[in-house]
């Protein structure tokens, strides 16, 4: 059913990638160019909005300095209202919208209100940010698998999956974990992994990227020394030791 301006109310949930403006798909750019309204989060590189039409309405709906501009229920209602009055709404989310991005929740809600829905996957920070620092999540002889875990649950407590991950031999990638770094460190120490390598990467793939490399035993001190904070991801595992070699390769490639 078309809306009052003759358009079909539509939501496209789009992954904006990890931060570097070049790490976005061609399909995502096409979606942005066709949008009548864009609702974007704090982790989205705002330079991407330059792809939008001049008359596209761009609304920030993310969280900055701990303050929400919109609660999730308000975002859901805003998507429906804007689609019904203007047409095509693009919900622009950092990384991949289906990896701790609540993209599926928003789609479920707007479908119940009759909107057409589409998804454009994005490059996840969970893999891209370590890669930019020359850290492979898997490598023969070092790690056969990896976990991607959110540190904070919907009840704001530390996810129990962190303790399960600590018992494995896999690389562990923890998102949204900086406020719970002390708890994470204690869990890995209890698992006998105080000497395991750790990387914290803040603002990954962006120009203001900051990195701290240490072990479970030293990472809290290093994070304080380097003033590392959110948004950041934590990578735990022997693969972190590979950073120096791959980092040199990347630098030589850049010179070529």
């Amino acid at each position: 059913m078309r809306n009052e301006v003759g358009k079909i109310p539509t939501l496209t949930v789009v992954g904006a990638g990890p931060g570097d403006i070049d790490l976005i798909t061609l399909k995502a750019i096409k979606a942005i160019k066709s949008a009548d309204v864009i609702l974007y989060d704090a982790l989205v590189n705002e330079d991407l909005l330059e792809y939008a039409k001049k008359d596209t309405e761009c609304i920030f709906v993310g969280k900055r300095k701990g303050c929400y501009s919109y609660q999730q229920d308000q975002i859901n209602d805003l998507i429906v209202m804007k689609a019904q009055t203007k047409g095509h709404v693009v919900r622009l989310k950092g990384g991949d919208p289906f990896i701790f991005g609540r993209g599926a929740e928003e789609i479920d809600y707007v479908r119940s209100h009759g909107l057409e829905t589409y998804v454009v996957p994005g490059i996840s920070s969970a893999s891209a940010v370590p890669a930019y620092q020359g850290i492979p999540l898997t490598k023969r002889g070092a790690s056969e698998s990896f976990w991607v875990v959110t540190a904070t649950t919907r009840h704001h407590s530390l996810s129990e999956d962190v303790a399960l991950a600590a018992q494995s031999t896999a690389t562990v990638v923890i998102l949204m974990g900086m406020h719970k770094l002390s708890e994470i460190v204690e869990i890995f120490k209890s698992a006998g992994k105080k000497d395991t390598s750790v990387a914290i990467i803040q603002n990954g793939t962006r120009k203001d990227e900051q990195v701290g490399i240490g072990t479970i035993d030293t990472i809290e001190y290093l994070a304080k020394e380097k003033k590392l904070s959110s948004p950041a991801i934590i990578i735990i595992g022997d693969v972190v030791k590979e950073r120096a070699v791959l980092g040199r390769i990347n630098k030589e490639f850049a010179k070529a």
Side-chain angles (χ1 to χ4, degrees), residues 133-219:
Q133 281 297 320
I135 299 173
L137 296 186
T138 62
K139 186 181 179 184
R140 186 176 298 180
S143 176
E144 297 174 350
S145 60
F146 63 92
W147 290 59
V148 179
V149 186
T150 177
T152 307
T153 68
R154 63 190 300 180
H155 303 296
H156 306 291
S157 59
L158 183 67
S159 171
E160 294 180 359
D161 285 347
V162 174
L164 293 174
Q167 298 297 324
S168 76
T169 59
T171 303
V172 182
V173 179
I174 302 176
L175 308 182
M176 296 173 278
M178 290 304 292
H179 295 301
K180 299 190 179 296
L181 183 59
S182 294
E183 292 179 69
I184 293 166
V185 164
E186 288 306 313
I187 286 172
F188 277 83
K189 282 183 177 178
S190 297
K193 296 187 174 180
K194 69 182 182 68
D195 296 322
T196 300
S197 297
V198 184
I200 294 177
I201 307 172
Q202 178 183 335
N203 295 320
T205 77
R206 292 175 177 262
K207 293 178 180 179
D208 56 349
E209 180 179 73
Q210 298 292 327
V211 184
I213 304 289
T215 65
I216 289 293
D217 210 29
T218 64
I219 197 62

Side-chain angles (χ1 to χ4, degrees), residues 7-8 10-12 14 26-38 51-57 86-90 118 120:
K7 296 182 178 181
I8 297 173
T10 302
L11 168 67
T12 304
V14 176
L26 293 173
K27 194 161 190 174
I29 291 173
K30 289 177 182 178
I32 293 170
K33 286 181 175 180
S34 68
D36 299 302
V37 181
I38 297 174
Y51 288 110
K53 297 176 293 187
K54 289 184 178 180
D55 60 347
T56 297
E57 182 179 9
K86 292 200 169 183
H88 183 202
V89 175
V90 162
Y118 301 92
V120 179

Side-chain angles (χ1 to χ4, degrees), residues 109-120:
Y109 181 83
V110 304
R111 276 181 175 168
S112 70
H113 287 75
L115 271 65
E116 288 194 6
T117 57
Y118 301 92
V119 178
V120 179

